[in-house]
Amino acid sequence: MINCLLIKITNNSRGLPVRNYRTLNATELMIGRSAECNIHLADPRIAMHHAVIKELEDGHLYVVSINGEIEVDGAMLQNIKLIPGKQIMIGPYQLNVEPAPPDVNLSVSLTLVNPLSDDYQDLKARTHEPLPNAFKFKWRLSMWLIAFISLVFLVLPLAQNLIPQLQSSMSELPFGFDRVWSSGRMSTAHRHFGSQCFNCHQAPLKKVSDKACVNCHQDTAPHIADPELQKRSLKAAHRFIGSMRCAECHQEHKAPHPLARQDNNMCIKCHGAIRTIDPETKLPNIRDFEKKHPDFKLSFKTGPGPKDIERIPQSDQSKLIEKSGLKFPHDQHIGKVQGPNGIWDVRELACTSCHQAEGKEMRFKALSFKNNCSTCHTSELQIGPKDNKLTLPHGEEQNMFNALKLYAPKEFDRYADQLKNNGCAYCHEVQPAKTGDKLPWSVMPLRLNNDWLAKAQFNHAAHRTQQCTSCHKVEASKSSADVAIPNRQSCLLCHSGNTPKHKRIASSCMSCHTFHNAHQGYDLITGAKVETKDVDILSTLPTVTEKK
């Protein structure tokens, strides 16, 4: 979003310069003679769409020629970078880039340095008058057209919305008078009530409120799970984007185009200058996955609760240690391995032997001893002489000790030490008993990470053409403490930023991140389910007009 201070310099009757100030807010600022241009220059020497001021890939603002010429120091250029002190000729106008005040990111002044000659003004004065008596006909025709347009496009639609009886009767029909106000085709998702405009437009001549959207979309979580952080961040963001309504991103009446906007500019509006919007944030400014994006942060479980999570950047290699409570060497569980029946029992293990995908995104089922380990490691739970093996249950330590007391009470101490050193300890971290404990020893609680990248999404199905080991380097991993999650540099081998590169796929913000449900609808601070009332925060935030 460009927040521009435009200064037009003209001369008064005494020949002194007068400066007129105006603030412009738009993604791109069009310069030209057309009435729709943001910077309107009413001069016949200016093209209808002469040039545009916009942000290019390097993050800087440029003036770019479209249908007219732009000049710097006598040279005609296509793109000119806007830096303080730069003087640019746009037709007969001189554009000067001035130092920007703190509340804007661009300040420019326009001066007409080459006015039209007196010959043009004389020609304009000698232009023929309209045909005689044509005014009366045009006036009558105009009045009839005004009356017709007012009736069809104003009176009847207003009557339908303001008269309850007419509104109820028209709601049963597949059309309504207020359909003439529609700016385009309804999206497929809303077409089933498209004839009942009042479902969304609850007040005539007013914007659709967020509460009207939440009436149906009650399970939609806010962008930020913490309500206080959402309120503080998005309120400050109004200075840059004007509003943060649902309709800011979900634009109706644009079918067949998607209802939700899918462009990086919506994300960069806030995250490109997130430290300016929210000075208290710990997030860095992010503009492009390839050029300006932080290292991934991995989520490590530090305790049994949902809040016991520590997020560590992958650049901090010394802390990337998983303390899962297991002893698991990946290098002994991939390729050809020896089975439980001796050296003649050779088996071929692949990643999918244990990691079994499910769902359209190929999420993986949780691992368990029964489904993934018992085939090869049942012997670790067998104890006693060969002719009288005792198979102990896998699970709670108390159940295992109860089985020892029941079936081998005389050998309880010896068998318990044997399990501690060789049996359970073959796969688990074992901790000695503390003072007051009823058990002689216990197994460390398991803390397996189910979601390493909690703030992002990854679709394994979209990457099924690749080998697992091309991203997860586990062939040489000898410890379960090793972390085999690919880093950002690994992703950049196949993906680029906002623009595609040779043999690389362009990846936008939405490729890995979602706006709603970014935290699966749960507050990361309290662990509580995000309720619908948190969405009402959007409705309480003031708009630019209200702030003024």
Side-chain angles (χ1 to χ4, degrees):
M1 177 65 68
I2 302 175
N3 193 12
C4 174
L5 176 63
L6 176 63
I7 307 169
K8 282 193 174 183
I9 303 176
T10 57
N11 293 328
N12 60 14
S13 58
R14 294 181 293 174
L16 299 176
V18 178
R19 297 167 69 92
N20 296 313
Y21 297 87
R22 181 186 172 195
T23 302
L24 302 175
N25 294 280
T27 306
E28 296 180 351
L29 300 178
M30 186 65 67
I31 304 173
R33 187 158 43 94
S34 176
E36 65 185 5
C37 293
N38 307 93
I39 302 177
H40 180 237
L41 303 179
D43 192 291
R45 294 166 291 180
I46 296 293
M48 298 297 289
H49 298 90
H50 198 99
V52 63
I53 296 176
K54 63 180 181 179
E55 182 179 332
L56 297 186
E57 293 182 0
D58 59 358
H60 295 286
L61 295 177
Y62 287 77
V63 57
V64 181
S65 173
I66 300 178
N67 296 317
E69 296 178 345
I70 54 178
E71 176 184 345
V72 174
D73 298 330
M76 301 296 179
L77 301 176
Q78 181 67 27
N79 301 336
I80 300 174
K81 186 177 181 179
L82 297 177
I83 57 177
K86 180 73 72 174
Q87 294 183 348
I88 305 168
M89 291 301 299
I90 303 178
Y93 290 86
Q94 179 175 291
L95 185 145
N96 295 326
V97 184
E98 301 187 357
D103 56 341
V104 299
N105 52 6
L106 177 65
S107 177
V108 296
S109 63
L110 275 171
T111 308
L112 179 62
V113 295
N114 296 318
L116 289 167
S117 62
D118 294 337
D119 294 340
Y120 175 79
Q121 299 296 337
D122 181 61
L123 178 63
K124 186 177 181 180
R126 289 187 285 109
T127 302
H128 292 289
E129 293 292 334
L131 294 174
N133 300 322
F135 173 76
K136 291 183 179 180
F137 172 76
K138 290 181 179 179
W139 184 84
R140 291 174 182 172
L141 180 60
S142 300
M143 291 300 103
W144 279 106
L145 289 175
I146 289 173
F148 176 77
I149 292 173
S150 299
L151 176 66
V152 175
F153 295 94
L154 182 61
V155 176
L156 293 178
L158 279 177
Q160 179 181 340
N161 283 275
L162 298 178
I163 302 175
Q165 296 84 355
L166 183 59
Q167 185 181 41
S168 60
S169 60
M170 294 298 294
S171 64
E172 300 176 359
L173 300 177
F175 60 89
F177 294 130
D178 54 0
R179 289 292 297 275
V180 298
W181 287 349
S182 176
S183 59
R185 293 178 57 189
M186 295 287 294
S187 63
T188 305
H190 294 158
R191 195 168 296 170
H192 63 286
F193 60 82
S195 62
Q196 303 174 15
C197 303
F198 55 86
N199 283 339
C200 298
H201 301 275
Q202 297 178 338
L205 305 178
K206 290 186 178 180
K207 295 179 177 179
V208 176
S209 66
D210 291 335
K211 290 184 178 180
C213 302
V214 175
N215 285 340
C216 294
H217 301 277
Q218 297 183 5
D219 58 345
T220 301
H223 180 41
I224 305 174
D226 180 10
E228 290 301 320
L229 179 58
Q230 162 118 346
K231 186 175 182 179
R232 185 174 70 248
S233 300
L234 296 186
K235 183 175 181 179
H238 282 205
R239 294 175 298 174
F240 297 89
I241 60 179
S243 67
M244 203 59 202
R245 300 164 51 241
C246 298
E248 184 77 20
C249 300
H250 300 277
Q251 298 183 345
E252 187 50 276
H253 299 287
K254 301 293 184 182
H257 298 288
L259 180 62
R261 294 180 62 178
Q262 298 289 335
D263 59 282
N264 276 0
N265 290 332
M266 295 302 300
C267 304
I268 295 174
K269 279 180 182 180
C270 288
H271 287 275
I274 193 69
R275 291 185 176 274
T276 305
I277 295 174
D278 183 16
E280 300 180 25
T281 186
K282 296 181 181 179
L283 298 174
N285 293 332
I286 302 174
R287 303 186 65 86
D288 185 272
F289 177 62
E290 181 178 15
K291 298 177 181 178
K292 196 168 185 181
H293 191 285
D295 291 322
F296 298 159
K297 283 188 176 181
L298 304 183
S299 299
F300 288 82
K301 280 191 174 183
T302 58
K307 296 183 294 182
D308 300 329
I309 294 177
E310 181 182 6
R311 300 186 69 236
I312 301 174
Q314 286 186 298
S315 56
D316 195 350
Q317 293 289 332
S318 60
K319 294 184 179 180
L320 295 181
I321 301 174
E322 183 182 14
K323 299 177 181 179
S324 63
L326 283 176
K327 300 176 182 177
F328 184 84
H330 260 102
D331 62 339
Q332 297 182 23
H333 292 79
I334 189 169
K336 293 183 178 181
V337 299
Q338 179 179 312
N341 301 320
I343 60 174
W344 301 110
D345 185 6
V346 177
R347 305 183 180 190
E348 183 77 22
L349 290 183
C351 299
T352 54
S353 301
C354 297
H355 301 283
Q356 298 178 4
E358 63 178 353
K360 63 180 181 179
E361 295 185 357
M362 290 182 63
R363 305 289 291 184
F364 292 98
K365 297 179 181 179
L367 301 177
S368 66
F369 175 82
K370 179 180 179 181
N371 296 330
N372 304 104
C373 308
S374 59
T375 302
C376 298
H377 294 284
T378 305
S379 59
E380 275 69 37
L381 291 174
Q382 293 179 345
I383 201 165
K386 293 182 179 181
D387 55 348
N388 190 21
K389 287 284 186 180
L390 174 62
T391 301
L392 300 175
H394 181 272
E396 296 291 335
E397 298 95 323
Q398 184 66 61
N399 295 336
M400 183 184 61
F401 287 129
N402 289 341
L404 285 178
K405 291 178 181 179
L406 179 63
Y407 296 107
K410 297 181 179 179
E411 302 291 338
F412 178 83
D413 293 335
R414 185 167 68 88
Y415 285 172
D417 289 339
Q418 187 175 340
L419 289 170
K420 175 184 176 182
N421 299 322
N422 299 311
C424 299
Y426 186 82
C427 299
H428 292 270
E429 297 285 349
V430 177
Q431 56 186 358
K434 298 179 181 178
T435 304
D437 287 351
K438 297 180 179 180
L439 303 179
W441 51 267
S442 60
V443 171
M444 292 284 290
L446 294 184
R447 294 172 183 172
L448 299 176
N449 289 317
N450 297 322
D451 193 354
W452 290 94
L453 301 170
K455 297 296 183 70
Q457 60 181 1
F458 184 84
N459 191 331
H460 275 92
H463 298 76
R464 61 181 177 272
T465 56
Q466 301 294 318
Q467 296 291 331
C468 301
T469 52
S470 62
C471 296
H472 303 279
K473 308 299 182 182
V474 297
E475 301 95 328
S477 175
K478 300 182 180 298
S479 171
S480 58
D482 297 335
V483 177
I485 302 299
N487 57 20
R488 175 171 165 263
Q489 296 302 321
S490 176
C491 296
L492 286 175
L493 295 176
C494 300
H495 296 267
S496 65
N498 299 338
T499 55
K501 299 292 178 66
H502 180 62
K503 293 186 178 181
R504 290 196 289 166
I505 304 170
S507 301
S508 64
C509 302
M510 281 69 69
S511 299
C512 302
H513 301 280
T514 56
F515 190 88
H516 300 293
N517 302 320
H519 315 300
Q520 292 79 43
Y522 288 89
D523 190 331
L524 295 183
I525 307 301
T526 64
K529 181 73 175 177
V530 176
E531 299 179 2
T532 306
K533 64 181 179 62
D534 296 330
V535 184
D536 294 337
I537 294 173
L538 295 171
S539 304
T540 64
L541 298 179
T543 62
V544 175
T545 305
E546 291 173 343
K547 290 196 293 182
K548 291 181 180 179

